[in-house]
Amino acid sequence: MVRPVEYDNLLANGTFKPAAVSKASIDQFMRSAEEMSTASKATASAAPRFTLAYEGMFNVVMAVLEFRGARPGDSPGHRATAIQRVAADLGLDWTKQSVLTRLHDSRNRVTYRQSVPPVTKADADAMYSVLHEMLTAATALISAQDNSKV
């Protein structure tokens, strides 16, 4: 499998673990991401819009990781590392990567450390924008590989 060397490094140091590549599984992650994107776009309330977009984004992350033959390991920060690696792999510019890191950190504060504060419309819109960009890039990446096998 050809993949960016960073994946091999993360596999070697245990941050990622090897994963069997399954087209059916990758397709399911991508379908889920599409469904969450559609639902997020149709939702006016900021908190559900943000949550749907975040979970859709993470389905894209899982699809790309599996496409690359990897999955998150069990070490602290495994989810953030997976998100950052895939965002870079998909070519998100540094500004979007920075926004994505901030939004992930916000989500972790809410999920693990405190009660849910109000989610701003700006953060919900930003998360949806990141999901849309990642979904588009991941679809192109995975489709290109599928088409090269034909």
Side-chain angles (χ1 to χ4, degrees):
M1 158 177 299
V2 176
R3 63 180 164 219
V5 69
E6 292 86 357
Y7 285 87
D8 294 324
N9 295 339
L10 291 164
L11 284 160
N13 72 20
T15 302
F16 287 170
K17 292 184 177 182
V21 177
S22 162
K23 182 172 176 6
S25 176
I26 293 167
D27 289 348
Q28 181 58 46
F29 279 126
M30 293 297 288
R31 269 192 306 277
S32 292
E34 286 278 359
E35 290 171 4
M36 289 178 198
S37 176
T38 299
S40 178
K41 184 177 182 180
T43 302
S45 182
R49 180 175 169 90
F50 177 89
T51 302
L52 285 163
Y54 180 89
E55 292 303 326
M57 175 276 303
F58 200 72
N59 271 271
V60 172
V61 168
M62 293 301 294
V64 172
L65 286 175
E66 186 167 328
F67 177 77
R68 298 296 194 192
R71 66 179 180 83
D74 301 319
S75 62
H78 63 276
R79 196 170 177 120
T81 301
I83 291 167
Q84 291 166 353
R85 177 64 251 144
V86 169
D89 191 7
L90 295 177
L92 264 66
D93 66 36
W94 287 105
T95 304
K96 284 272 174 118
Q97 289 185 43
S98 177
V99 167
L100 180 55
T101 298
R102 180 183 63 77
L103 294 172
H104 170 70
D105 289 345
S106 294
R107 178 254 181 205
N108 274 1
R109 273 196 316 280
V110 167
T111 303
Y112 298 117
R113 295 185 197 99
Q114 63 188 29
S115 61
V116 178
V119 173
T120 67
K121 180 181 182 320
D123 280 352
D125 291 347
M127 190 70 249
Y128 175 78
S129 175
V130 168
L131 165 59
H132 180 72
E133 188 170 334
M134 290 179 75
L135 193 51
T136 301
T139 299
L141 174 71
I142 292 164
S143 294
Q145 182 69 30
D146 287 347
N147 291 337
S148 72
K149 291 180 180 178
V150 175

